[in-house]
Amino acid sequence: MRPLSDTDPKQFIADFYAGFNEELLRSDEDPALVVDRYHTPDIVQVADGHRMDRAKLIAHTRPVRKNRFGGRMEVHDAMVDGDRLAARYTLFVENHKRNLTIEVCFFGQFAPDGRMRQAHLLTRTLTAGSES
């Protein structure tokens, strides 16, 4: 992981997302080890009002890993203030059942080593023809 202060904010969040998913989906390593490389032990992530601590985040990785989805991220805006990053991006997720397009507004805090400490996400899943 690179520190947040060492890179462009758009590139940082894109690399964070890609690296975490790549390590999680392309290996059989214990998901807890992957989560710990990218998140601090006191991680709290709130997505659309659903709170996940470290244990819940690890549990969440199991179905993601089982389905082995693919996808990409398009970062539209990102800005940094100290250890905090705000970004607006779109996730394009592909799995064997369906393809999803998810708009995300992300507000996060990162440790000096680049691991995520806290995140709040607001998401909107788009259906075909509702991209506006």
Side-chain angles (χ1 to χ4, degrees):
M1 295 289 323
R2 284 189 305 210
L4 179 58
S5 61
D6 287 357
T7 188
D8 172 71
K10 282 183 166 182
Q11 193 63 53
F12 179 88
I13 195 67
D15 290 348
F16 183 92
Y17 174 81
F20 179 61
N21 284 298
E22 179 74 22
E23 287 190 39
L24 185 65
L25 298 175
R26 307 288 183 248
S27 78
D28 292 323
E29 185 177 24
D30 179 355
L33 296 175
V34 178
V35 166
D36 289 345
R37 263 197 300 282
Y38 286 83
H39 303 83
T40 60
D42 60 344
I43 180 67
V44 173
Q45 184 170 306
V46 180
D48 300 324
H50 301 282
R51 185 182 189 279
M52 287 194 289
D53 58 11
R54 179 183 176 273
K56 287 181 182 176
L57 185 58
I58 292 167
H60 180 70
T61 65
R62 286 173 175 58
V64 170
R65 181 177 263 185
K66 180 181 174 187
N67 291 325
R68 303 277 178 178
F69 70 88
R72 64 182 178 86
M73 173 187 209
E74 182 179 323
V75 182
H76 308 292
D77 300 295
M79 58 189 292
V80 169
D81 184 14
D83 63 352
R84 297 177 188 272
L85 183 143
R88 185 177 62 84
Y89 55 86
T90 303
L91 296 175
F92 301 91
V93 181
E94 304 165 2
N95 68 25
H96 63 279
K97 293 181 182 178
R98 63 182 184 238
N99 294 336
L100 298 172
T101 301
I102 305 168
E103 292 181 336
V104 180
C105 291
F106 172 92
F107 306 91
Q109 180 182 26
F110 291 83
D113 63 4
R115 291 182 299 155
M116 185 185 297
R117 174 172 287 138
Q118 183 182 138
H120 293 267
L121 298 91
L122 301 172
T123 69
R124 178 173 81 135
T125 301
L126 301 175
T127 56
S130 71
E131 285 76 18
S132 56

